[in-house]
Structures are given as C-alpha cells and as structure tokens.
Amino acid sequence: MPIVSVNDFVVRFANVNGSGSASANQMFARGVMRMGVPVATRNIFPSNIQGLPTWFEVRVSGHGWLGARGGADLVVAMNPQTFDKDVASIDPGGYLFYDNSRAIPASKFRDDIVVIGVPLTEICNREYTDTRQRQLFKNIVCVGALCALLDMEVAVFETLLSEQFAGKDKLIAANHKALRIGHDWAKTHLKCPIGLTVRRADAIGDRIYVEGNSAAALGAVYGGATVCAWYPLTPSTSLAEAFTSWCRKLRIEPQTGAKRYAIIQAEDELASIGVVVGAGWNGSRAFTATSGPGVSLMQEFLGLAYFAEIPCVIFNIQRGGPSTGMPTRTQQSDVMSCAYASHGDTKHVLIFPRDPGEAFEFGARAFDLADRLQTPIFVMMDLDIGMNSSLTAPFAWDGTRKLDRGKVMTEADLDSGRDFGRYLDVDGDGIPYRTYPGTHPTRGSFFTRGTSRDAYARYTEEGRPYFENMERLLKKFETAKSHVPGPIVQRARKATKLGVIHYGSTAAAMDEAAVMLAERGVDVDVMRVRGFPFCDEVVDFVEAHDRVFVVEQNRDAQLRSLMLIEHGLDPHKLTPVLHYDGSPITARFIARAIGDLVQPKAKVREKALS
C-alpha cells in the first residue's frame, strides 16, 4: 500500500554535483517551512568540485523531529549513476519521482513503490534553447511538479523566488514561468496529490534556520574574539568565512571605518595555531577553525598553550578519518585526539554543542572559559552541525553580560606589592594570575617559554618544581569541571536501570529514539554530556544504572574510552552503540541497536512463534 502521511515524511533529492540543484533543493525546504511545518535538512556531497553524486535530504516533521530518521518516503532520482541505489533506498510503499524523457527498463523499478515519471528534459528542451537555461530551469520545473504532487501552495514558492531574485525582474518572471510549467504539467497529467502532503500549520514559531558554522562564528564575535587565524580545510572553512562576514558587519568602527579585528589565512595549520597562541598570550581573544587533520598538525603549539597556560579556542568541525578520510562526511572522530592533544601529560577542555543554537552559545562561552582557565578550549562540532542548516531558537544575548577575563593583575595590583608568580597557585584552584605583556614597565610577565620552570617562571630542570607544576595543572583541570557546561538529563516515564549517554550532533536523533524505545517498551534515562572534564554527575549517572549505552559516531567508542580512562568505571556497564559510515546517525539506528540489545530473547521468541 502506498504511504499516506501528512507533514511527516522524508524527501531525498539525488543529483549530480555542479548541476545547479542546490538552490532549488533549499528552496523546496524553505517552502515547507513557509507553510509552517518544521524541516530538517542534510546535504551529502562529494569532496571533488563537480561530476560526482550528491544528495539533499529534507525531513518534513510536523512533530518537530530534527534528527535524521533513516529511510526515504519520496526519492527525486535525477542522477542515472545512482539510480539503482536511490530506488533501493525508498521505504516500501514510498514514491519514486524521475525524469522519464528517456525510457527506463521496467526491471529498474520495484513492485512495492509508486513510480512517478515527469519528462523534465523534454519539457525544458521544448521551452528553452540555451543549454545552461535548460539545466537550471529544469530544477525549478521539478520543484513546481513536486509542489502539485505534495499539495503545496505554489504562491509560497513564487514569493521565495521573488525574494531570491529581488531587483532582477526578468529572472523573477522566468523562474515563475518555469515553476508554473512544472506545476501545471503535474496537475494535468498526474493524479495530484499523492499520499504524501504538506498541510499548512503553525509549528515553526519564532525559530530561525541557520547553518552551524555561521552560528558558531557569530558566537565568536559576541564572545569578544578579535583574531582568527586559519587554513582552508573542509568542513571548517565556512566558519572562518562567516566570521569574516560577521566582522565586516559588526566590528567596523563607525566613525573611522577602522577594522577592529584581524583575520589571517596562514600558510598551513601549524602557522595558524601559532598566530592564535601568540595573540592569546598578548591578551587578544583568538581562535582557529579546523578539522581532525589540522589538529594533528597543531600538536606542538597546543602543548605549548597548555603548559605555558595561554588562552585560545579551537573550533574542530569533525569529519571522517584517519588521514584524508572522508572530507565531506560527518563523524565524532577526534574526541580522544583533542582531549590529549600534544605529547606528554596533557589534558584539554572540550565542549560539545548539539546544534546551531548551542554552537552560538558555546562559541561565545568558549572564550570566557579559555580566559578563566588559561588554557586551550576545543569546541567539538562536526560536519552535520557545521555545514547543515537547522531550525533553532533565536539567539539570545544578555546585553549586560561582561567578558570574563579571568585572573589578570593590573599595574595597580603589581604596584601594591602583591606577590606575583606567573605559575603560583594563590587561591588553591590551580589557576594562577597573569598579566598582559607591557602592563607594568618592570613587573609582571614579558615573555613565556615551553620549558620547565618554577612558580615564578624561573627556568629550572629540577624535578620537584616540575612535579609541583604538573600537579597544579591537574588541580586546574579539576576546577574546570565546575566551569564547563553541565550535562542534561531526561528521565524516563518510569523508574529504569537502563541509561543512555550521548553528546553533540547525536542529540536530535537520540531525542526521537528515546520515544521510539518507549513505544517498544524499553524505558531509558538519557544524559547528554556537554563538556569534558566530566563532572561528578556523569559518574553518578553511570553508577545509578545497571547498564548504560554510550551512543557516538566513531569506530573506537572514544567518549566511552575517555570515561573509562578518567574515572575507572566498570567497562561492563558501558555498552557502546557506534555509527561511523559517514552519514548522520539516525533515530531508527539508535532505537533498533538499543532495543535489540535489551530485548534479544523477545526477538528470538517472536521468530520461533512465526
């Protein structure tokens, strides 16, 4: 039976990279949102420039689920290279939309899906003479046909096109015409609507639709960042580009036109982190945006920043690895490498935003953490957050909020006779006082070094001062527990001894998976970890449950490993649930993986009865 669903289905567009389909696909998603229905979009694209397959998924969810669900109810198959794969991905009862200008053998289809053929190429060849116009308008004709098939309001798309080409009347008229051609053809030749329909609703509210990297970059601006040094690397490049764009709007001195920021595209990742560490030592709030391969190249400077206690922020937009890996696929693959980046006994603070909203919040907060703790802070995003747009609550900012510069001594403090030792633990929290270079003509810090020294920054290779310094750094790391974002716990509807721990971009899928598990009779308490070092609440959560599933997107269960290393937890209590094929983790995957582990006997019994 064909799938019948209102405001609850997944559309997947299968295209060729460079075909001009991206803007039309995004317009389709925005059209659904203009009708008041939430969507979650994901762009899956190759790492080359042109010619390889690309997919764009639009999840229409009146319930408001924003994670990847898994499967597809409607596939718009526009790429002959992937046609078989695309047909296979459709859920039973789903729909295949394809260009039937050329005949396709019946063997290419499935008996359990609905096949919809629209002669897009034939229509465009008839209407347009220019080759490029035929390709570009073909995408708009396609959107028009989908508009009719899904019972959407064509006026919504006309408005979107008018906004997109504002001031270019000829383009507006031409695109309106292409949209109407597709819409009218489908209305005349096909049974409209199909079982999947979009019905006007009011479920968006005041939420905004924004890309994670852009949100993080704006957070950096609000967090007081004035220096960005970076080297292009997918999927982090758009964060540095967005920071540049935001600074041009928000960091220009109105009276003089002077730029109140410095953005440097360095010759490589090592140089970029060197600039950031130097700027941080000098008192600027500085950051770099990179991915796993970049972090690998930054190791020595990260060790310097940790040991010399220099504030800096690293936005790590994780991708598949190791080596070049899958540059345009998502993973949570750098947890361990960032937690212990550099050689020797090094521990770094990590924070894990779940979506663009927290990318903005944590993007700003990271700079306060870096100054307060005098150490590198890693903002651990990934491609799924960074390079995709998502619905999120409007960014909030307290206009009275002051930047937390941490323990900084002024010239007056130094003149007052206060004892200043750059690495002296005065307050017992492991965090020393610092001065900005040049604060005082004769007192305070004027240089730093990466070699061992005593509490007064005097060079020494004696064992005792080195030991005491390393112990103080551990104490500071313990202090960091009370400063990083705390975990969020969602309790099951009834008491349970089953728990789930997850983090970052798994959140949206995990929210939905918890509901799916409850419907299956599996109740779980869910904790989302938002920072490392782990606070005591994380340990308490594990100890309060008989079994805790740790959901993450990497092969080696890196967060689980970090929990075992840092807290000596019983490894038998922590069951890994791992997804690492480069695609975003789905609610179906999580629910199935945990459900099958919890109810294996029930599955065996059901099989025997059948």
Side-chain angles (χ1 to χ4, degrees):
M1 291 290 293
I3 296 172
V4 176
S5 184
V6 178
N7 293 353
D8 185 15
F9 53 89
V10 174
V11 180
R12 184 177 297 140
F13 295 85
N15 300 106
V16 177
N17 202 28
S19 64
S21 59
S23 61
N25 295 343
Q26 278 283 4
M27 184 178 68
F28 174 81
R30 292 180 183 276
V32 178
M33 287 188 285
R34 286 290 177 93
M35 290 184 65
V37 182
V39 301
T41 60
R42 283 170 174 82
N43 192 16
I44 303 169
F45 58 98
S47 56
N48 76 333
I49 295 175
Q50 189 166 350
L52 288 184
T54 182
W55 291 269
F56 185 77
E57 185 172 291
V58 180
R59 182 175 186 186
V60 180
S61 177
H63 301 292
W65 300 122
L66 299 180
R69 187 199 69 182
D73 303 298
L74 167 62
V75 166
V76 181
M78 305 297 286
N79 187 354
Q81 291 177 280
T82 62
F83 191 85
D84 292 343
K85 178 180 179 180
D86 296 327
V87 171
S89 71
I90 304 171
D91 282 2
Y95 301 81
L96 169 69
F97 178 109
Y98 79 107
D99 183 353
N100 67 350
S101 298
R102 287 193 307 172
I104 294 179
S107 59
K108 291 284 188 178
F109 303 120
R110 287 166 42 192
D111 294 334
D112 63 342
I113 61 174
V114 178
V115 178
I116 303 168
V118 179
L120 297 172
T121 301
E122 184 181 307
I123 291 170
C124 290
N125 287 347
R126 183 177 65 245
E127 295 289 336
Y128 307 102
T129 56
D130 181 78
T131 303
R132 186 58 177 165
Q133 278 190 337
R134 286 173 174 174
Q135 177 58 51
L136 294 176
F137 284 124
K138 178 178 172 181
N139 297 312
I140 304 302
V141 173
C142 176
V143 171
L146 289 173
C147 177
L149 289 166
L150 301 176
D151 201 24
M152 299 180 69
E153 299 170 15
V154 69
V156 166
F157 293 99
E158 289 177 332
T159 300
L160 286 169
L161 287 167
S162 297
E163 293 171 355
Q164 181 176 342
F165 298 108
K168 302 175 181 178
D169 292 345
K170 288 185 178 180
L171 286 177
I172 293 173
N175 278 276
H176 281 185
K177 178 184 175 182
L179 182 74
R180 284 287 182 179
I181 288 171
H183 179 271
D184 294 346
W185 191 96
K187 281 284 191 179
T188 302
H189 297 88
L190 301 174
K191 183 180 179 181
C192 297
I194 59 175
L196 308 176
T197 54
V198 179
R199 185 174 299 161
R200 182 167 284 279
D202 187 19
I204 300 291
D206 62 351
R207 283 183 290 179
I208 58 176
Y209 182 65
V210 62
E211 184 187 81
N213 279 349
S214 181
L218 184 60
V221 173
Y222 274 76
T226 56
V227 176
C228 168
W230 64 293
Y231 183 78
L233 185 64
T234 301
S236 63
T237 296
S238 61
L239 197 156
E241 292 173 341
F243 183 73
T244 303
S245 177
W246 289 123
C247 284
R248 287 171 180 163
K249 294 178 181 178
L250 303 172
R251 287 228 188 282
I252 301 291
E253 187 66 43
Q255 289 76 23
T256 64
K259 296 178 180 179
R260 304 295 298 273
Y261 61 92
I263 300 171
I264 302 165
Q265 182 177 324
E267 62 264 33
D268 54 34
E269 288 89 351
L270 184 61
S272 68
I273 191 65
V275 171
V276 169
V277 172
W281 170 77
N282 201 46
S284 296
R285 289 193 155 187
F287 74 92
T288 189
T290 190
S291 191
V295 173
S296 297
L297 294 171
M298 296 176 182
Q299 298 283 306
E300 189 169 2
F301 265 120
L302 291 168
L304 170 64
Y306 171 80
F307 196 59
E309 299 179 68
I310 299 172
C312 58
V313 172
I314 302 94
F315 288 93
N316 183 359
I317 317 304
Q318 300 166 88
R319 71 189 206 187
S323 187
T324 304
M326 295 194 292
T328 59
R329 298 293 188 267
T330 194
Q331 275 191 22
Q332 296 172 315
S333 54
D334 303 333
V335 176
M336 293 291 286
S337 64
C338 290
Y340 302 122
S342 192
H343 52 277
D345 294 320
T346 311
K347 291 186 180 182
H348 295 297
V349 176
L350 317 178
I351 53 180
F352 306 104
R354 64 168 284 161
D355 59 15
E358 283 193 347
F360 170 79
E361 177 190 345
F362 290 8
R365 188 171 180 178
F367 294 92
D368 279 353
L369 284 172
D371 274 350
R372 167 55 56 184
L373 298 170
Q374 298 176 31
T375 198
I377 304 294
F378 284 86
V379 184
M380 302 294 288
M381 295 164 59
D382 58 34
L383 185 146
D384 190 28
I385 299 173
M387 292 195 72
N388 285 314
S389 295
S390 180
L391 283 169
T392 188
F395 302 147
W397 189 258
D398 181 357
T400 65
R401 175 175 169 177
K402 304 292 185 183
L403 301 183
D404 182 358
R405 300 310 303 257
K407 298 182 179 182
V408 180
M409 291 183 72
T410 65
E411 182 178 8
D413 293 330
L414 294 169
D415 276 334
S416 70
R418 285 180 58 182
D419 187 17
F420 175 73
R422 176 63 187 94
Y423 302 106
L424 188 66
D425 185 5
V426 177
D427 302 319
D429 59 4
I431 305 173
Y433 284 81
R434 64 178 175 136
T435 60
Y436 301 134
T439 295
H440 193 284
T442 59
R443 300 186 180 117
S445 293
F446 287 84
F447 66 93
T448 191
R449 58 163 56 96
T451 50
S452 182
R453 70 272 149 166
D454 65 11
Y456 290 89
R458 296 174 299 211
Y459 173 77
T460 178
E461 293 187 16
E462 293 183 8
R464 189 67 193 175
Y466 173 81
F467 170 82
E468 290 174 348
N469 187 61
M470 295 299 287
E471 286 293 296
R472 181 185 58 76
L473 288 170
L474 267 185
K475 186 187 295 183
K476 181 169 75 168
F477 197 69
E478 186 71 19
T479 299
K481 290 181 180 180
S482 62
H483 291 278
V484 299
I488 294 177
V489 178
Q490 180 180 340
R491 297 292 176 184
R493 57 188 175 182
K494 56 186 178 183
T496 178
K497 284 295 184 178
L498 295 175
V500 178
I501 288 178
H502 68 107
Y503 61 104
S505 64
T506 62
M510 187 64 239
D511 290 344
E512 185 178 3
V515 174
M516 296 169 69
L517 284 165
E519 292 172 349
R520 183 171 170 172
V522 179
D523 291 294
V524 293
D525 293 330
V526 179
M527 170 178 277
R528 179 163 67 91
V529 172
R530 301 197 298 166
F532 172 76
F534 305 122
C535 66
D536 294 340
E537 191 177 351
V538 176
V539 178
D540 294 342
F541 183 88
V542 174
E543 292 180 345
H545 295 84
D546 293 337
R547 191 175 189 183
V548 176
F549 301 94
V550 185
V551 178
E552 46 188 321
Q553 299 183 86
N554 57 70
R555 184 195 69 181
D556 294 339
Q558 294 185 27
L559 191 81
R560 176 181 181 273
S561 298
L562 208 55
M563 295 168 66
L564 295 175
I565 292 168
E566 294 294 324
H567 295 286
L569 299 168
D570 180 0
H572 297 97
K573 294 186 73 171
L574 297 176
T575 301
V577 175
L578 307 175
H579 183 275
Y580 50 92
D581 68 358
S583 63
I585 197 167
T586 68
R588 287 180 177 179
F589 173 87
I590 298 172
R592 182 172 62 250
I594 294 176
D596 289 353
L597 287 168
V598 172
Q599 299 176 324
K601 292 181 180 179
K603 284 193 67 182
V604 171
R605 184 171 181 273
E606 287 169 7
K607 186 175 181 180
L609 288 174
S610 62

